[in-house]
Amino acid sequence: MLENEENRENSEKISAVEKEDDMSINSELSAKKGKLINYLKGCQNAAIAFSSGVDSTYLAYMAKEILGDKMLTVTVKASAIPDRELTEGRMFCEKNGIKQVVIELDQLSIKEFAANVPERCYYCKKEIFDSIIKVAADNGIENIFDGSNVDDLSDYRPGLKALKELKIKSPLVEAGLTKKDIRLLSKEIGLPTWDKPSFACLASRIPYNEVITKKKLEMVEKAEQKLYEMGFKQFRVRHHGKIARIELLPEDFERIIRKEISKEIYGYFEKLGFDYTALDLSGYKTGNMNKNNN
């Protein structure tokens, strides 16, 4: 009897501690959201680099709520960005009454990008934000935002250097928001991107110093679109010449090695130009090509 009472008391204590922890997390997240709102209120207007990803979607939504028609989004149409992302971005802006400007960029005309140097992202970002600065100026907007979050600061991201040089603002960083925070806040307000898989420019699928071509980017885009249509959620298809290296979440390994699934993928990838298709047993890793550049 005493043991049961003691167990009940311990259970109640654990429950109280967990509840306290949840309240602490919610309080911290609310404070970060409040900081973001105050930051946006202090900016008056904004042009947002919008990719339709988790971060830029949340930032665009919040900016619309705070700034109304004094904000717009700028989306880049380029060979290293899948059409699927452009379509999702357009639908989001139409649904939420957000003005969207789409600019076209020939990334392969940027020699450092095409040569795929380790600083590739720096040169590309510089071109992109130079164009966004012009769009902002044409619309009488002084503030230019990107959707970087706190987690981005710990990875090898040479593009951040370009943002700093061009004085681009990162409100999510200023508010101290992590990717997890942004997903939670997005879910709270009902944004469909709250659980959207992380995405990166298709050029990140090609090892540094291997020339980037339109054909390679198309092969990767079509290969990843196939996995997407087959119901896989978080993945990458890395381009290693005639070899396609698939990165998946470990929980998806069992499914992809089923005979009918693997045969369908192999056959499709072969038509794209890959002689071999391999599964990376270490699983999906964001920024996997950056490990030698940190």
Side-chain angles (χ1 to χ4, degrees), residues 226-227 230 232 246 253-270 277 279:
K226 178 65 173 176
L227 296 181
M230 293 181 77
F232 292 100
I246 299 174
F253 284 5
E254 186 177 344
R255 180 176 172 231
I256 201 170
I257 61 174
R258 289 179 196 161
K259 188 176 181 180
E260 68 278 11
I261 299 290
S262 60
K263 185 178 180 181
E264 183 178 349
I265 291 171
Y266 179 81
Y268 184 79
F269 282 25
E270 190 175 38
T277 297
L279 176 64

Side-chain angles (χ1 to χ4, degrees), residues 162-178:
L163 301 183
K164 187 175 181 181
E165 288 177 359
L166 295 171
K167 296 180 170 55
I168 306 302
K169 299 175 180 177
S170 302
L172 302 178
V173 172
E174 295 293 333
L177 289 163
T178 64

Side-chain angles (χ1 to χ4, degrees), residues 21-244:
D21 285 344
D22 286 342
M23 288 175 64
S24 174
I25 291 169
N26 291 335
S27 175
E28 183 182 352
L29 195 53
S30 294
K32 289 180 181 180
K33 183 178 180 180
K35 195 171 180 180
L36 175 64
I37 290 170
N38 289 333
Y39 185 91
L40 294 174
K41 284 180 177 177
C43 288
Q44 307 302 319
N45 57 43
I48 301 171
F50 179 64
S51 67
S52 82
V54 178
D55 304 325
S56 63
T57 297
Y58 177 69
L59 179 58
Y61 180 89
M62 292 300 294
K64 176 64 176 177
E65 288 287 295
I66 304 301
L67 302 174
D69 293 334
K70 293 180 180 178
M71 62 79 68
L72 58 81
T73 61
V74 185
T75 299
V76 175
K77 179 177 173 59
S79 51
I81 300 171
D83 288 339
R84 183 180 72 246
E85 297 296 310
L86 297 174
T87 300
E88 289 179 4
R90 177 180 53 77
M91 291 173 63
F92 170 80
C93 288
E94 287 179 357
K95 181 180 178 182
N96 291 280
I98 296 172
K99 180 179 179 181
Q100 182 186 31
V101 177
V102 178
I103 56 176
E104 293 198 27
L105 176 68
D106 181 6
Q107 292 168 300
L108 295 174
S109 69
I110 305 169
K111 65 178 183 178
E112 295 87 356
F113 179 91
N116 202 11
V117 298
E119 298 79 23
R120 173 197 71 226
C121 192
Y122 166 79
Y123 295 100
C124 187
K125 287 280 189 187
K126 205 163 187 308
E127 286 278 339
I128 289 173
F129 280 94
D130 276 340
S131 297
I132 294 177
I133 287 170
K134 290 174 185 173
V135 171
D138 290 343
N139 286 272
I141 292 174
E142 299 86 31
N143 301 294
I144 300 167
F145 296 163
D146 98 298
S148 297
N149 66 66
V150 172
D151 295 334
D152 294 327
L153 306 181
S154 61
D155 193 9
Y156 175 71
R157 293 183 184 264
L160 295 176
K161 180 185 173 187
L163 301 183
K164 187 175 181 181
E165 288 177 359
L166 295 171
K167 296 180 170 55
I168 306 302
K169 299 175 180 177
S170 302
L172 302 178
V173 172
E174 295 293 333
L177 289 163
T178 64
K179 176 72 80 174
K180 182 180 178 182
D181 292 334
I182 296 160
R183 288 191 185 281
L184 289 171
L185 291 170
S186 296
K187 185 177 182 180
E188 181 182 69
I189 56 180
L191 291 180
T193 48
W194 76 269
D195 64 344
K196 183 176 180 177
S198 296
F199 171 76
C201 164
L202 293 174
S204 66
R205 316 299 197 263
I206 302 168
Y208 288 120
N209 298 313
E210 288 191 16
V211 175
I212 297 173
T213 65
K214 186 176 181 180
K215 180 172 175 54
K216 288 178 182 178
L217 294 173
E218 287 176 347
M219 287 171 71
V220 170
E221 179 177 1
K222 290 176 180 177
E224 292 195 348
Q225 181 65 23
K226 178 65 173 176
L227 296 181
Y228 174 80
E229 290 171 358
M230 293 181 77
F232 292 100
K233 197 162 187 180
Q234 187 69 74
F235 50 78
R236 294 285 186 269
V237 176
R238 307 291 185 184
H239 190 295
H240 298 278
K242 291 293 184 178
I243 301 172

